[in-house]
Amino acid sequence: MSKTKLELTWIGKDKRPKLEPRILLENPELSYHAKFRRYSPSPPAPLPEGEGSKMTAEHLTVQSVEAESPKSPSPSWRGVGERVDLFDNKLIFGDNLLALKALEQNYAGKVKCVFIDPPYNTGSAFTHYDDGLEHSIWLSLMRDRLEIIRSLLSDDGSLWITIDDNEAHYLKVLCDEVFGRGNFVANVVWEKKYAPQNNATWLSDSHDHILVFTKNKELWRPLKLSRSDEMDARYTNRDNDPRGIWKASDFTISLSGGQRGAQFAKTGVSSNIYEIVTPSGRCLMPAKGRCWAASPEKYQELLNDNRLWFGENGNNVPALKRFLTEVQNGIVAKTIWFRTEVGDNQEAKKEALVFNGEEVFSTPKPEKLLKRILELATNPNDLVLDSFAGSGTTGAVAHKMGRRWIMIELGEHCHTHIIPRLKKVIAGEDPGGISKAVNWQGGGGFRYYSLAPSLLEQDRWGNWVVNKNYNPAMLAEALCKLEGFSYAPSDTQWWNHGYSSEQDFIYVTTQNLSHQQLQELSEEVGGDRSLLVCCAAFRGKTDAFPNLTLKKIPKMVLSRCEWAHDDYSLNVANLPMAQPKPEAEKPKKASVKLVNIAQDDLFGEA
């Protein structure tokens, strides 16, 4: 049997960036939390130690206090029942691929839900560039990010991606490759527009796709959606049943499917086909192709228990009474989401205008849409990630719903849209979106981070040296990350900058260490512990100290990464311009070959 598999291929697929795992630098001036905080009487689950954050979970009982400066290392949270809003939410400004890589060490396997709204690659940005090239760049951009997102997801985590028809089907196959085809959950159709677009050349598009994948489908189950008052209003008590209000449901089932259908097709006999006599004396048989929903014995039990409804006059086809007290607490979500349920583009733009009316954000998502996703994918205090933050809807909704969140955004609207929006949410001054539905009153906060510059830079002779903007603490933290150590400088052991286990530590210095200094260091570390020493240079034999491993900076990391590479975004300005050519000399269109989607080959991608 051939081992050839279906796959999506494109120009440059084999080229993968060697990403530098940057450290994150907090800017306390842009970090923010509520002026007055309300504390939960019990602390939330411990957080992973984030870059630049030394927060610890302590038991707080104060009901309302004046907030300290964002520079304060102590935690804060606001709890309503199980809902908790932590100050340690993260807003990261910078290239999202580098930022995802920066999060990987501390957050791998800890993110419960990822929502992304990536660039749709509609082609409008590529009018003057080589036709077809943008598909390859877009697919590489997405592949590199999806691979890190998968590592960040918990085993029972899920990914939700909004996309339009232009790339949805390519993206589906790409996700199949990254997550495994068996971990595909659904393609949700979201009604994003109400009115038809009358100037559309072909069909007016009214929907977007939401592709849903899990890291492990066997472990992940969607939660139920909350029941609405409208749903509960369908329950009445027409016979004054002491068990309360109920709703009538069909008491027949199909004979064409499943084991029952196979048996009936083979024998023409079903135990669930029998005559029922109504209280009025009318004799009934199930409709053709259907049978009763219970055996004769079970039917009699239901009848004796007053579980069947024959209508006011006792003459109708029986219906099963389903009591509200017995139905599940929520309802199962469907794969078609109407704008009346989860909002549309117009509603989303109105929400975004509240935070910046001068510079309109073109593609926001409505808060009700994110609420629906987080209801299905998370519980209070779960961690949510959005690496294409846009106008900040994900963080705003996660915050109001008591989820922890991380958002990443490179564009300037991080400052013009996201921060003003989050400040209003935290201050309780955002009455729009889902605020009323979740009774949001304000609270919590976030920390603002930017990516550190590249660890290495070239001097005027072209030699790679440590970036002059790095201080000793930044250097130690960066090398901890590169070597797989947790950065945790000791207050008592001057040589202890981090650890990889209880007995394995790291020391970082820009000094040239002599044989005597290494001897003293080895004696202080002791024989039952090991230490990785990162220094500018050292004198002495490397095997003279069994408990020390010696490496030189920056030689030890030179081949690890692409240094001084700050932009992995889809930068249109850097694409090769298409040169006008005579008709006869025009090359054939560069294409993306999709092995298992044959329509493009048959009809042409256009």
Side-chain angles (χ1 to χ4, degrees):
M1 178 182 290
S2 172
K3 295 184 179 180
T4 302
K5 66 177 182 178
L6 303 176
E7 67 172 324
L8 178 65
T9 63
W10 64 88
I11 299 170
K13 181 180 181 180
D14 58 333
K15 296 179 181 178
R16 294 175 179 269
K18 296 175 67 175
L19 299 174
E20 176 189 358
R22 306 278 183 96
I23 62 174
L24 298 175
L25 305 176
E26 184 184 359
N27 183 343
E29 300 303 320
L30 293 178
S31 298
Y32 185 82
H33 60 71
K35 186 176 295 186
F36 290 91
R37 301 185 298 192
R38 301 175 181 88
Y39 296 121
S40 168
S42 59
L47 291 172
E49 290 186 12
E51 297 84 352
S53 173
K54 300 295 180 288
M55 299 174 67
T56 57
E58 56 186 76
H59 200 96
L60 300 176
T61 57
V62 182
Q63 295 302 311
S64 180
V65 297
E66 187 83 22
E68 301 97 357
S69 162
K71 299 178 183 179
S72 171
S74 62
S76 66
W77 59 81
R78 175 183 181 274
V80 179
E82 292 184 336
R83 288 169 41 181
V84 179
D85 297 319
L86 290 154
F87 172 51
D88 204 40
N89 300 311
K90 287 180 170 59
L91 175 60
I92 303 172
F93 179 68
D95 181 272
N96 65 2
L97 185 58
L98 286 171
L100 286 170
K101 187 65 178 178
L103 293 170
E104 192 172 26
Q105 182 183 26
N106 289 330
Y107 287 93
K110 296 177 181 178
V111 177
K112 191 63 177 293
C113 174
V114 176
F115 170 82
I116 56 174
D117 181 24
Y120 280 12
N121 193 19
T122 60
S124 59
F126 301 96
T127 305
H128 305 293
Y129 301 95
D130 283 334
D131 191 17
L133 182 62
E134 72 275 11
H135 285 292
S136 295
I137 296 174
W138 189 86
L139 287 166
S140 293
L141 175 149
M142 291 304 302
R143 187 270 314 276
D144 297 338
R145 285 153 178 79
L146 289 171
E147 288 180 342
I148 301 180
I149 285 172
R150 185 183 182 280
S151 73
L152 292 172
L153 278 174
S154 61
D155 289 339
D156 60 347
S158 59
L159 167 66
W160 305 68
I161 314 175
T162 52
I163 198 72
D164 69 358
D165 284 332
N166 192 58
E167 293 287 3
H169 307 89
Y170 291 92
L171 181 59
K172 162 64 169 66
V173 180
L174 176 60
C175 288
D176 283 345
E177 189 170 318
V178 174
F179 286 85
R181 190 170 181 179
N183 290 318
F184 171 66
V185 176
N187 173 21
V188 175
V189 175
W190 166 48
E191 185 188 21
K192 64 178 180 180
K193 295 179 184 176
Y194 171 64
Q197 190 174 342
N198 293 324
N199 63 348
T201 305
W202 292 282
L203 301 179
S204 176
D205 67 312
S206 300
H207 72 278
D208 272 354
H209 303 268
I210 304 176
L211 301 180
V212 187
F213 278 82
T214 66
K215 189 170 184 178
N216 187 334
K217 196 173 179 179
E218 295 303 314
L219 299 179
W220 184 83
R221 292 293 182 273
L223 300 172
K224 300 294 189 296
L225 295 176
S226 301
R227 297 185 60 83
S228 66
D229 292 339
E230 181 183 354
M231 294 174 186
D232 291 348
R234 298 170 188 166
Y235 288 77
T236 59
N237 195 348
R238 288 173 277 178
D239 62 350
N240 296 317
D241 194 306
R243 287 167 290 193
I245 58 177
W246 51 269
K247 184 178 72 171
S249 62
D250 193 358
F251 188 61
T252 66
I253 55 177
S254 174
L255 265 176
S256 61
Q259 185 177 357
R260 179 180 290 103
Q263 178 186 357
F264 182 74
K266 184 177 181 180
T267 65
V269 177
S270 172
S271 60
N272 284 26
I273 298 178
Y274 51 88
E275 185 179 79
I276 286 179
V277 180
T278 69
S280 67
R282 181 185 173 197
C283 296
L284 299 172
M285 292 292 289
K288 186 176 181 179
R290 301 187 70 79
C291 64
W292 302 120
S295 66
E297 296 77 18
K298 184 62 177 178
Y299 164 76
Q300 194 59 47
E301 291 179 17
L302 294 171
L303 187 64
N304 295 339
D305 195 29
N306 191 23
R307 291 272 178 167
L308 296 173
W309 173 248
F310 292 88
E312 298 288 349
N313 299 320
N315 196 47
N316 294 353
V317 175
L320 186 63
K321 292 163 62 176
R322 297 191 182 276
F323 293 92
L324 180 60
T325 55
E326 296 174 346
V327 300
Q328 55 193 5
N329 293 329
I331 59 173
V332 176
K334 297 187 290 186
T335 56
I336 298 179
W337 295 359
F338 295 104
R339 53 180 292 277
T340 53
E341 302 171 2
V342 296
D344 56 18
N345 284 343
Q346 186 176 8
E347 182 176 324
K349 287 183 179 180
K350 289 179 180 177
E351 291 171 356
L353 280 172
V354 174
F355 309 102
N356 190 321
E358 297 180 3
E359 185 182 342
V360 180
F361 191 80
S362 58
T363 57
K365 294 296 180 282
E367 289 198 8
K368 286 195 292 187
L369 178 67
L370 268 298
K371 179 177 181 290
R372 166 70 61 88
I373 291 171
L374 296 188
E375 271 187 323
L376 293 171
T378 65
N379 286 302
N381 203 36
D382 282 341
L383 182 59
V384 178
L385 168 67
D386 185 346
S387 56
F388 294 90
S391 64
T393 305
T394 301
V397 173
H399 204 95
K400 294 176 185 179
M401 294 178 67
R403 276 67 169 167
R404 295 178 291 137
W405 54 265
I406 299 173
M407 289 196 294
I408 303 168
E409 182 51 58
L410 174 61
E412 189 54 34
H413 44 274
C414 179
H415 307 106
T416 59
H417 288 75
I418 296 177
I419 291 179
R421 181 175 197 166
L422 292 175
K423 284 184 175 181
K424 283 185 176 290
V425 169
I426 291 165
E429 298 173 357
D430 172 25
I434 66 167
S435 293
K436 185 176 180 181
V438 300
N439 190 29
W440 177 248
Q441 303 295 322
F446 67 90
R447 295 184 184 274
Y448 175 97
Y449 293 89
S450 59
L451 288 166
S454 181
L455 172 62
L456 302 184
E457 62 181 358
Q458 288 182 299
D459 61 17
R460 58 181 176 173
W461 297 284
N463 299 315
W464 288 102
V465 297
V466 174
N467 193 315
K468 59 180 177 294
N469 293 311
Y470 271 66
N471 59 37
M474 291 171 62
L475 176 61
E477 185 175 355
L479 288 178
C480 279
K481 177 162 284 195
L482 283 161
E483 293 293 323
F485 284 73
S486 296
Y487 177 63
S490 171
D491 294 330
T492 57
Q493 297 169 322
W494 57 270
W495 48 266
N496 183 356
H497 287 150
Y499 62 91
S500 65
S501 69
E502 293 183 358
Q503 301 298 324
D504 188 29
F505 304 92
I506 185 172
Y507 170 53
V508 180
T509 178
T510 55
Q511 296 180 23
N512 296 333
L513 299 179
S514 64
H515 182 86
Q516 182 179 352
Q517 288 174 309
L518 292 174
Q519 179 70 46
E520 294 172 355
L521 182 58
S522 177
E523 292 174 357
E524 185 160 343
V525 171
D528 59 341
R529 293 182 294 197
S530 58
L531 181 69
L532 171 62
V533 180
C534 308
C535 56
F538 58 87
R539 291 188 295 275
K541 296 181 179 180
T542 56
D543 57 355
F545 312 102
N547 59 346
L548 302 184
T549 301
L550 305 175
K551 293 185 178 182
K552 295 180 180 180
I553 307 171
K555 181 180 179 181
M556 59 182 289
V557 295
L558 269 180
S559 61
R560 299 276 188 90
C561 313
E562 298 171 351
W563 303 106
H565 193 154
D566 296 318
D567 185 4
Y568 289 91
S569 64
L570 182 55
N571 191 344
V572 178
N574 292 334
L575 292 178
M577 296 292 291
Q579 301 297 324
K581 295 180 180 180
E583 189 69 27
E585 297 180 20
K586 284 188 176 179
K588 292 182 179 180
K589 176 181 176 181
S591 61
V592 179
K593 295 299 183 183
L594 181 57
V595 178
N596 65 335
I597 296 184
Q599 285 84 346
D600 281 356
D601 290 338
L602 292 173
F603 300 106
E605 191 178 337

